[in-house]
Structures are given as structure tokens and as C-alpha cells.
Amino acid sequence: EAVIEKIIQRFKSLLLTTYAKLNTQDDYELTPEAVGNRSLKNICLYYLVKGGEFELAYTQFSAANCMSDRLGGFNALLAIDNPYQDMAITEMFERYQNDTQVMDKWFAAQALAPASNVDNIKQLMQHTLFSFNTPNRLRSVIGSFAQNFVQFHNQQGYELLTEVIIKLNTSNPQIGARLVSIYNHWKRYTPELRALQKQQLEKILATKNLSNDIFEIVQAALK
């Protein structure tokens, strides 16, 4: 975050110029050059939103002629608190609620947002479109939250993950095994986080009738 702030301070004018140059309403193309231009444009936008250019992102989100640009605007707006965030979440849902793949991205973007804590994840899990029986939807929320380094790495985050894994033990142990592998590198963390993750692994190991899928991953992690 400190590096991003320094880049914005020094290069904001260049970011704005580059974004403006690439932000055209030309017909959508799937050529390597067009894909690269969209990628660069959306990286610029992400930095600019961090620098306070919220309206720029909302304008792109609203007027986008392809999913890459719409998601670029959406993800940028979720990266930092701003007046357009709730509107973008609502509008994205209303527009694409019947599109399974886009909804997976909608859930994932919220789970990855720096402000998304355990309470927010639990709310997402109560959403009508969330289902434990849909692996991609489960990964888009829980798997994405596990990559949220701002909010996941604490006792509450670990306890939520463990709760989900234990629930999956009887319903879908294969997905449970994939999620428990998030703890595989627990020894690399700071002493406090290392102890918390080990505690969760031991709790999972003590689960009655633990499936072989999950047992093998946990046992290997604890060696």
C-alpha cells in the first residue's frame, strides 16, 4: 500500500494520460494488442481509484462495452471506500444475477475487498445465490477470502475457514480438502499466526469421522 501511494504521488499525471489514451469506445477486439491495452488501462484505473479518482471508475463501470472493463471498474471501486461502491455492487447484481460466472466474480470481488471482514463474509454466505453445494460459488467466497491478506489472517478468519471445512466433511470432503490446504504453509507465518493455524489444524484433525480426503491433507501439514 505504501509503494502504491508513492507511485500515485509521483506518476498520477502519467497514469491519467495513459488511461485516457487507452480508454476508447472502439469495438471490442480479442487481439493480443487489445487485450494488453485493456489490462494496462485497468491497472492504471486501479491505481487512480486508490488516488481518489472514484468517478472515473464508476463511469467506466457503467459505460463499459465488455466484461473486462466492467469488472475492471467494479474491482477498482471495491478496492477502497468510496461513494460509488454500494451502487456498483447493487447494479452489478441486478444486471447479471442470472449469469453464474459473473456472479462468481461478484462474490469473489467482495470477499477480496480490503474492507470485507468475517461479518461481511457471513452475510455473503446468507445470500440467496450462495450455496454450499456449488463448489465454484463456495470457492468464490471462502477461497477468495482466504486470499484477503488484510482481513483473513486472524483468529476470526481462521475459525470461519475451519467451520466451513468441518461442515464440508460430510457434504463435500473433496472441496473441504482443497480448502484445508490453505493451512499447508502455516509454519511460514509469524509465531502468533502460526500458533493459530496449527490450532485450527488440530481442531479439524479431532473432528469425529473425519474423511480420508481431509485427514490426509491435515496429517501431512502437521508433520
Side-chain angles (χ1 to χ4, degrees), residues 7 25 32-33 38-39 42 45 58 116 123 134 138 164 186 188 203 205:
I7 290 173
Q25 287 298 320
E33 182 180 7
R38 281 193 295 274
S39 179
N42 286 315
L45 182 64
Y58 184 70
S116 187
Q123 288 179 5
T134 307
L138 189 62
V164 170
W186 64 275
R188 299 182 182 180
K203 181 178 180 180
L205 191 62

Side-chain angles (χ1 to χ4, degrees), residues 165-171 173 203-215:
I165 291 166
I166 291 174
K167 184 173 180 178
L168 288 167
N169 181 55
T170 54
S171 62
K203 181 178 180 180
I204 295 167
L205 191 62
T207 301
K208 187 177 180 180
N209 298 321
L210 188 64
S211 71
N212 289 334
D213 301 272
I214 297 175
F215 173 78

Side-chain angles (χ1 to χ4, degrees), residues 10 17 23 29 54 63 65 70 74 76 83 89 93 114 118-119 122 124 126 132-133 150 162 181 199 210 218-219:
R10 183 168 180 179
T17 302
N23 189 35
E29 294 182 4
F54 309 135
N65 64 356
R70 198 175 302 281
F74 184 65
I89 290 172
F93 175 77
V118 168
D119 288 339
K122 288 181 177 179
L124 285 176
Q126 294 298 317
F132 265 91
N133 299 320
V150 178
T162 297
S181 66
Q199 185 181 63
L210 188 64
V218 174
Q219 186 184 48

Side-chain angles (χ1 to χ4, degrees), residues 130 132 134-143 164 168 175 179:
F130 178 84
F132 265 91
T134 307
N136 286 344
R137 190 57 44 86
L138 189 62
R139 281 193 290 266
S140 70
V141 176
I142 302 301
V164 170
L168 288 167
I175 298 299
L179 289 176

Side-chain angles (χ1 to χ4, degrees), residues 48-92:
L48 288 166
V49 169
K50 288 278 191 175
E53 298 291 337
F54 309 135
E55 187 173 351
L56 202 64
Y58 184 70
T59 298
Q60 174 176 307
F61 167 77
S62 301
N65 64 356
C66 68
M67 187 55 67
S68 296
D69 282 352
R70 198 175 302 281
L71 283 172
F74 184 65
N75 290 330
L77 288 170
L78 265 63
I80 187 171
D81 187 44
N82 64 83
Y84 298 100
Q85 200 171 81
D86 290 341
M87 285 191 295
I89 290 172
T90 301
E91 290 171 20
M92 192 76 167

